[in-house]
Amino acid sequence: MEVIYQYAWLIPVLPLLGAMLVGLGLLSLNQVTNSLRKLNASLIISLMGAAMGLSFALLWSQIQGHPSYTRTLEWAAAGNFHLTMGYTIDHLAALMLVIVTTVAFLVMVYTDGYMAHDPGYVRFYAYLSLFGSSMLGLVVSPNLVQVYIFWELVGMCSYLLVGFWYDRKAAADACQKAFVTNRVGDFGLLLGILGLFWATGSFDFDVMGIRLGELVQNGSLSNLLAILFAILVFLGPVAKSAQFPLHVWLPDAMEGPTPISALIHAATMVAAGVFLVARMYPVFEHVPAAMNVIAYTGAFTAFLGATIAITQNDIKKGLAYSTISQLGYMVMAMGVGAYTAGLFHLMTHAYFKAMLFLGSGSVIHGMEGVVGHDPALAQDVRLMGGLRKYMPVTAITFLIGCLAIAGVPPFAGFWSKDEILGAAFNANPLLWFVGWLTAGITAFYMFRMYLTTFEGKFRGNQTDKWEKLKSPIGMALVAGFDTKRAFGPGAMTTGELEDSSKHQHDNHGHDAHGHGHSEYPHESPWTMTLPLVVLAFPSMLIGLLGTPFANYFEEFIYSPNETLEEVVEKAASFNPTEFYIMAGSSVGISLIGITLALLTYSWAKINPVEIAAKVKPLYELSLNKWYFDDIYHRVFVLGLRRLARQVMEVDFRVVDGAVNLTGFFTLVSGEGLKYLENGRAQFYALIVFGAVLGLVIVFGVT
């Protein structure tokens, strides 16, 4: 088994090799490379498949008890400073390698069908491979400096992929928004890294944790500085994992093709933030105030994302806010000390969220043949309905994903979410209540999405009713109520459809597949449905690895401050009564949410417009995404533009004015003095005589 570890460096290198080969081909022989579409895709998929096979071998070796393996080489040295680079394989790294490679591999297979008619097909595969390589490199990094290098590479790849259709203004704006927002968090992370190195003299995770704990305990480092450094480091995960207040970029990232939405939301970029919190856990656990900040940030983000998702009509944006909410659960778990529960939910969420996003892509793929390539139409759930009849595989797998994320047993999401809620209750009942309430909201909006998309009658071919469906009362009509009210749950913001209709595009635009027009949607090709079916199995079964009465996951992944003996001892003290009470409460609130969705959008017993009328301020708050985008636009975008204009005025009037005045004074003085320099001795003698006479007069008077 030792031989496998010596070649573990190939895991991030293989996808990188694929990206380099295809990228060089695109740069040097563009037409030839683009013509060999299937060959390039096969190469990249095969290399990721090889990385996946090696990842599974390493995970199996770690399960069998092989000790952690670290291999480093000295990268730079100056005096007592030594910086090493290399890779480390431990339980956490082995698990993350399997999650990233499996999801990336399935997304790449799915991409062949989804992007089949896109002229950027080969370029997209090159970006995907580079993205996967960057995340894999981050996972195996043995120190914080190497993590930061791959952290920035992950951000760069997300910029390229979110803005893949860069000729569309919405996509160009979205990738810039993601880039700038993440720069804020990354700057905080960089400051935190430098601060921790100044305090501890190391970039190694365990060494930093031990030394920081000693410094705080003996008073060599003030507790305030330790809190500051920890929170600055946490700013990096806040941006990458879309936590409040840097969450605003993630929904806009839906402007990229759906395969990259699945990869970002499931196993790469957003997972990087939670992974870094786990890696930095030895540091955070010595700073209780920072742990509280992490816990409350996660809890608020979970609630925030869920409340906004209720009013989303765009199927991808609904899932995006769902991701923000679920990431909040993971961060909250880390903050309350539930290290295992947070990573367990990271794993389960990776599979069912990847399946949900790929399922949404399958829906869009089928809808475009009916409504065209306008994303406002192809992704609007109000124009769907009854798709289960036409897309049975997509519908069944999407339903499995909804059950998993809603926390219905025995699906995967139930076990991980219940473990988080149990830990939150023991730590702080207020955090538990927020998480518990969010679970009910999650169940409601996910089944709202499923019912409006896959059940009822198909509405996409009823062109005569499109204007009514697209109006603010659209969700009431979908629910079976014919009303004239001016608003209803799920209406898009005023002008959104009109704005998006201005950006209709050809077959290389947003999620375009080159379909001809048809009256009804169709099931996607096997390259798209096969990954859905494969992902359905872990979405249903993988949660059984972490049941509280036989928690194999916790015996494999546990907090750095615990030992295996302590974990086993804690598992032996399992209280079934406590579990049934906590599980019953979480399942109960989820069933209430599902029932309300059925009553509203399937059985037509509750009119959503009437509900919205009674809670109009709350409805407007959700519809406008808590006004965060508006506030940020006015304060930061418009405010910085105004500041830039003022700076420009100061530069023009003061700085340039001073320079221009100096030049003018030099010009005038030169023009005047040139008449005194005429080269005649008599004139100079006259000047001297005049000066002397003037001095005599002055001194004579005085």
Side-chain angles (χ1 to χ4, degrees), residues 292-315:
N292 287 331
V293 170
I294 294 171
Y296 281 99
T297 299
F300 181 74
T301 304
F303 181 73
L304 172 70
T307 54
I308 297 176
I310 291 178
T311 58
Q312 294 300 307
N313 282 332
D314 186 309
I315 190 170

Side-chain angles (χ1 to χ4, degrees), residues 682-695:
Q682 299 92 326
F683 183 70
Y684 297 152
L686 181 61
I687 293 174
V688 172
F689 175 75
V692 171
L693 181 62
L695 290 172

Side-chain angles (χ1 to χ4, degrees), residues 255 308-318 374-384 448 466-476 486-501 510 619-620 622-625:
E255 293 296 335
I308 297 176
I310 291 178
T311 58
Q312 294 300 307
N313 282 332
D314 186 309
I315 190 170
K316 287 176 66 177
K317 285 192 175 181
D374 183 357
L377 300 179
Q379 297 172 201
D380 192 339
V381 296
R382 291 171 298 183
L383 300 182
M384 297 178 188
R448 168 186 178 273
W466 277 10
E467 291 306 316
K468 288 185 177 180
L469 288 167
K470 292 186 294 182
S471 69
I473 64 169
M475 288 312 297
F487 52 85
M492 292 187 176
T493 53
T494 304
E496 183 175 342
L497 283 166
E498 289 78 4
D499 291 341
S500 62
S501 64
H510 186 92
Y619 166 69
E620 294 287 348
S622 172
L623 182 65
N624 291 284
K625 307 164 190 175

